[in-house]
Amino acid sequence: LLEKEAEAMPQGEPAPEASAAAANAGTSSKIEELTAQAKVAAEANPDNLCAKTLLEAEVQSWMATLPAAKLDELALCAKSGLDNHDSGLGCYAVDPTNYDDLAPFFDRVCEGYHHGGGKVHTTNWSLDGVEGLPEDGQLDLQKLGLGKELSMRVRVGRNLTAFPLPGLMTKADRVNFEKTMLKAFDVLKANPAYGGNVYSMTPNDVWKEVTGDAENPNLIST
């Protein structure tokens, strides 16, 4: 009977058992690769949250249940922290579905980043009990002893549904994203309450490649 079943198998195609074994070997190899990278990163920087989380026993057990495609997504999300050992966070979703599909990993990273508090982080802006504030509680730089003018940068990271998340953005996506945002910035610049200007870091050659325009009109001067 076994010989007849073997004869009935299409020539050149592996048996289902062989395919499953090959798939399991592939996922095991991927997990071993991620684990080895995480160990190196964690040894270099124990505060690397991405690496620390990948090495947790429960996360390792969960990784063993993932199909190869999801392990590849996890590896892509973790690439920043595994390549850059000095990262504090070190992992970024490349697709909104990652937060659900890879929740056992991302939920733990968020818990570590916020030092607990569950999945929903509650922000408390109260200054009650903070030492060193003026008596009226106002964050006035003059009252804090900083009389000279200061330069300050505020980083705002947001995504638009019309574009992929940064991890999967192409060069064209990044330039077109910038062009899309310029329309919003024009509104702010025209508003006396905001004003300001836009300084782009996209080189002229890249700008021309994507848009066809010879120069990036907002390129920052060197």
Side-chain angles (χ1 to χ4, degrees):
L1 180 60
L2 291 176
E3 290 179 357
K4 290 182 179 180
E5 288 181 352
E7 291 174 358
M9 291 286 293
Q11 295 299 314
E13 293 186 9
E17 295 83 356
S19 298
N24 289 336
T27 55
S28 297
S29 176
K30 190 67 178 180
I31 292 173
E32 290 174 2
E33 180 184 350
L34 283 172
T35 301
Q37 290 178 307
K39 285 181 178 178
V40 173
E43 184 175 351
N45 176 18
D47 293 326
N48 185 318
L49 270 173
C50 172
K52 285 200 317 184
T53 305
L54 285 174
L55 295 175
E56 290 184 11
E58 291 188 20
V59 173
Q60 287 276 311
S61 297
W62 162 75
M63 286 166 59
T65 69
L66 293 177
K70 290 301 176 186
L71 274 175
D72 287 341
E73 285 186 29
L74 177 62
L76 190 56
C77 293
K79 180 175 174 57
S80 177
L82 299 183
D83 287 352
N84 303 284
H85 299 165
D86 59 347
S87 297
L89 185 61
C91 54
Y92 304 93
V94 297
D95 187 278
T97 60
N98 292 153
Y99 292 114
D100 293 321
D101 296 344
L102 306 177
F105 170 73
F106 275 111
D107 285 354
R108 285 179 175 273
V109 170
C110 291
E111 282 273 323
Y113 184 81
H114 294 297
H115 305 289
K119 292 184 178 181
V120 179
H121 176 64
T122 302
T123 300
N124 180 5
W125 293 100
S126 174
L127 297 176
D128 293 341
V130 177
E131 296 181 1
L133 293 181
E135 292 183 2
D136 58 8
Q138 298 298 310
L139 298 179
D140 187 325
L141 295 183
Q142 299 285 338
K143 294 180 179 179
L144 292 173
L146 302 175
K148 297 181 179 180
E149 291 186 2
L150 297 176
S151 175
M152 181 169 58
R153 183 186 74 163
V154 179
R155 180 172 180 256
V156 180
R158 291 293 181 269
N159 303 296
L160 303 181
T161 55
F163 295 90
L165 293 183
L168 293 181
M169 270 187 166
T170 64
K171 183 192 299 182
D173 286 330
R174 292 178 181 276
V175 173
N176 288 322
F177 186 97
E178 183 175 336
K179 287 189 67 179
T180 300
M181 291 306 302
L182 287 175
K183 299 173 185 177
F185 296 148
D186 284 342
V187 175
L188 292 177
K189 287 161 60 178
N191 186 335
Y194 291 93
N197 210 336
V198 174
Y199 297 99
S200 171
M201 298 179 66
T202 305
N204 284 328
D205 59 337
V206 174
W207 191 267
K208 182 178 181 180
E209 178 186 341
V210 176
T211 69
D213 299 332
E215 294 183 349
N216 179 350
N218 300 298
L219 182 62
I220 190 170
S221 60
T222 56

